[in-house]
Amino acid sequence: MKATGIVRRIDDLGRVVIPKEIRRVFRIKDGDALEIFTSNSGEVIFKKYSPVGELSNFATQLCETVARTTGSTVAVTDRDGVIAASGPAKKELLDKRIGRALEALMEARQSKFDRTGEDGVTVTDEPNSRRALAAVPIIVLGDITGCALILGDEKGVCTDVEMKLCQSIAGFLSKQIED
């Protein structure tokens, strides 16, 4: 654990303000859910709660099945990073923070399918980031919780099969979270 040097007092209602700098770095926004952990040594730890993260083992199995069938890289993200991936680019993606373009796509509640080979959304903000041929937000009870992705190679285009598979992954995970 890393000390920040920031000290905050608890108010009379038991609230504590998380500093703006920390919220910005960890992309904590108004309305985000935080999970609270405690330790025997008196530590209180806040962690962003991810409903999709709760299904990471299941999402990994789903990605492996679709990747084996299609030969493509398949990934699932929560609102911050890639939580499950399988296929050729698995190591490049797993546990990486999502990029601003993908975050904006999810916030706009839009799906994106690259039909031209030049219109895919990049997954991370890293140089030479992989691009998604298909990206479908995972929406649970009206809230964006993550995104299902099928990635291609440099000149790939999204086929109807990849489009439907990506929509199916997002829909299936959404239903699992709701239940």
Side-chain angles (χ1 to χ4, degrees), residues 8 86 107 170:
R8 293 285 192 247
S86 188
E107 288 296 323

Side-chain angles (χ1 to χ4, degrees), residues 6-160:
I6 300 170
V7 176
R8 293 285 192 247
R9 297 212 181 273
I10 295 176
D11 71 9
D12 58 339
L13 296 176
R15 298 176 296 200
V16 63
V17 174
I18 299 171
K20 183 178 183 178
E21 300 82 18
I22 292 173
R23 287 179 290 156
R24 184 178 38 79
V25 168
F26 290 99
R27 296 181 179 181
I28 299 171
K29 299 180 187 97
D30 253 3
D32 281 354
L34 298 176
E35 196 168 7
I36 303 169
F37 297 89
T38 60
S39 72
N40 292 339
S41 61
E43 295 169 318
V44 177
I45 301 161
F46 291 92
K47 181 181 174 192
K48 276 184 81 172
Y49 177 71
S50 169
V52 177
E54 297 289 317
L55 294 176
S56 64
N57 290 337
F58 183 70
T60 299
Q61 292 173 352
L62 188 56
C63 288
E64 287 171 358
T65 302
V66 175
R68 203 174 318 117
T69 304
T70 64
S72 299
T73 299
V74 180
V76 173
T77 74
D78 62 11
R79 292 184 61 181
D80 296 311
V82 178
I83 61 148
S86 188
K90 173 184 177 177
K91 290 181 182 176
E92 290 176 43
L93 294 172
L94 203 53
D95 299 324
K96 297 286 186 193
R97 180 175 260 189
I98 65 168
R100 299 284 178 197
L102 184 56
E103 186 178 20
L105 185 76
M106 288 191 302
E107 288 296 323
R109 299 169 185 267
Q110 294 178 338
S111 297
K112 186 160 193 156
F113 305 107
D114 183 359
R115 299 296 205 154
T116 65
E118 301 171 359
D119 196 29
V121 63
T122 55
V123 179
T124 69
D125 285 336
E126 295 177 4
N128 300 320
S129 174
R130 294 282 182 146
R131 63 183 180 81
L133 297 179
V136 179
I138 301 168
I139 302 173
V140 179
L141 302 173
D143 293 329
I144 302 294
T145 59
C147 195
L149 306 167
I150 296 183
L151 289 78
D153 57 20
E154 290 299 314
K155 304 206 187 306
V157 295
C158 183
T159 65
D160 288 340

